[in-house]
Amino acid sequence: MRGTLLANRRGVQRFRQLAITAIKSSKIKLLLLCCIAFTVLVVGTRASDFMGGTNYSDSVDQFPLPEKGYAIVMNTWKRYDLLKQSISHYSSCAGLKSIHIVWSEPNPPSDSLSKFLNHVVESKTKGLKKIKLSFDINKEDSLNNRFKEISGLKTDAVFSIDDDVIFPCSSVEFAFKVWQSAPDAMVGFVPRAHWVDKSQGKKDYYTYGGWWSVWWTGTYSMVLSKAAFFNKKYLRLYTNEMPASIKEFVTKNRNCEDIAMSFLVANATGAPPIWVKGK
């Protein structure tokens, strides 16, 4: 009798275990079915939107992807021979997409100069690619003009260069690849250094060192915008958020706009610039 009761109890426990297992299995199956149904619903909705085409194309038009490559922003001032030489040289660089000449002279560029430069660009590209050349004309003569925001700029990368500085296209393309690896940084060919001048007895008094300081110490703290890559968003920051006192200093002294841009990028990123060597 006792053995029979024990067997019955074991049978009941076994039945309970089987029932619990079956219930859990059913829950898992139900959960899986719900997940599958939800996935099918989402995929179906996305597919219908894609086949319709309207929403997809609208989103692309609203948020256009930036072009690969870079735009040259070239500062110039009454040095037409140098300007022609530089435009002729850089037009043959593979990654170049557009050229923007910062023009701050009292008179607009002549038709002959404009035609010559456009002809040079077309002849250098040989129909393989279309490079846009434009003059960004400014009423005020200020070095701040070289960092004015450019409307309709299609590339994220900007190569800021002076009209009297020429680097081989191979060096420019190498610097562009370095910039692509750190697109928020400033990547340039001309390093400089600054440090606290303790002889003045002030913690906020700095000394500026040229190339020989960099060569002697083996360190640098900025790269100059006379030959440097940076993101186009810094043109917007310089135009809209640079303190007026700094802009006034640059305009009055006709100097230090490159230092101002270097510090703007450093403050925005909290990171140092990158110096690349070039001939």
Side-chain angles (χ1 to χ4, degrees):
M1 184 69 177
R2 187 175 180 179
T4 303
L5 292 174
L6 183 60
N8 289 339
R9 287 179 182 176
R10 290 178 177 176
V12 171
Q13 291 176 354
R14 179 62 177 170
F15 177 78
R16 287 178 179 175
Q17 290 177 353
L18 291 173
I20 292 171
T21 302
I23 291 172
K24 288 182 178 179
S25 177
S26 298
K27 288 182 178 180
I28 292 173
K29 290 179 179 179
L30 181 61
L31 180 61
L32 289 174
L33 288 174
C34 290
C35 292
I36 293 171
F38 178 75
T39 302
V40 171
L41 179 63
V42 171
V43 172
T45 303
R46 295 285 177 88
S48 62
D49 289 343
F50 179 77
M51 293 301 290
T54 303
N55 293 336
Y56 180 77
S57 61
D58 287 348
S59 64
V60 171
D61 293 338
Q62 187 176 359
F63 303 104
L65 295 175
E67 289 185 3
K68 294 181 179 179
Y70 53 88
I72 280 182
V73 177
M74 184 176 293
N75 194 53
T76 188
W77 177 262
K78 295 185 177 181
R79 301 188 291 196
Y80 306 139
D81 290 339
L82 290 176
L83 178 62
K84 292 177 181 179
Q85 183 181 358
S86 293
I87 296 298
S88 177
H89 169 72
Y90 288 114
S91 295
S92 60
C93 294
L96 180 63
K97 297 298 181 181
S98 62
I99 302 173
H100 305 264
I101 301 172
V102 181
W103 190 272
S104 302
E105 298 181 18
N107 298 319
S110 64
D111 291 339
S112 60
L113 177 63
S114 180
K115 289 180 181 179
F116 178 86
L117 293 180
N118 277 288
H119 175 71
V120 166
V121 171
E122 291 177 2
S123 63
K124 287 289 183 178
T125 55
K126 298 179 181 179
L128 298 177
K129 59 179 180 178
K130 181 70 174 180
I131 295 178
K132 177 183 177 183
L133 185 143
S134 63
F135 289 88
D136 297 337
I137 300 176
N138 302 278
K139 295 180 179 180
E140 181 187 16
D141 176 19
S142 172
L143 286 175
N144 291 309
N145 293 336
R146 69 182 306 164
F147 300 133
K148 275 189 174 180
E149 187 175 11
I150 301 174
S151 61
L153 191 58
K154 295 183 178 180
T155 61
D156 282 342
V158 170
F159 183 45
S160 176
I161 189 76
D162 283 352
D163 59 4
D164 61 343
V165 180
I166 291 182
F167 287 94
C169 286
S170 57
S171 296
V172 177
E173 297 297 325
F174 172 72
F176 176 55
K177 290 181 180 180
V178 173
W179 177 85
Q180 286 179 306
S181 69
D184 286 331
M186 198 166 178
V187 178
F189 293 102
V190 186
R192 293 291 185 265
H194 75 286
W195 58 89
V196 175
D197 189 347
K198 297 180 180 179
S199 65
Q200 298 293 326
K202 301 177 181 178
K203 293 182 179 180
D204 58 351
Y205 191 93
Y206 294 90
T207 293
Y208 174 83
W211 161 246
W212 290 112
S213 297
V214 174
W215 179 84
W216 182 257
T217 63
T219 61
Y220 67 97
S221 58
M222 68 183 80
V223 293
L224 300 187
S225 56
K226 66 185 302 177
F229 278 96
F230 52 80
N231 194 295
K232 68 179 180 181
K233 64 185 176 182
Y234 298 124
L235 297 177
R236 175 179 55 80
L237 290 177
Y238 193 102
T239 301
N240 301 318
E241 299 186 25
M242 179 65 76
S245 59
I246 294 179
K247 288 185 177 181
E248 291 171 1
F249 181 93
V250 169
T251 299
K252 180 180 179 180
N253 294 275
R254 297 190 60 81
N255 207 344
C256 298
E257 85 287 352
D258 45 8
I259 298 177
M261 174 56 86
S262 186
F263 274 83
L264 181 146
V265 176
N267 285 328
T269 62
I274 301 174
W275 168 36
V276 292
K277 292 184 178 181
K279 296 181 180 179

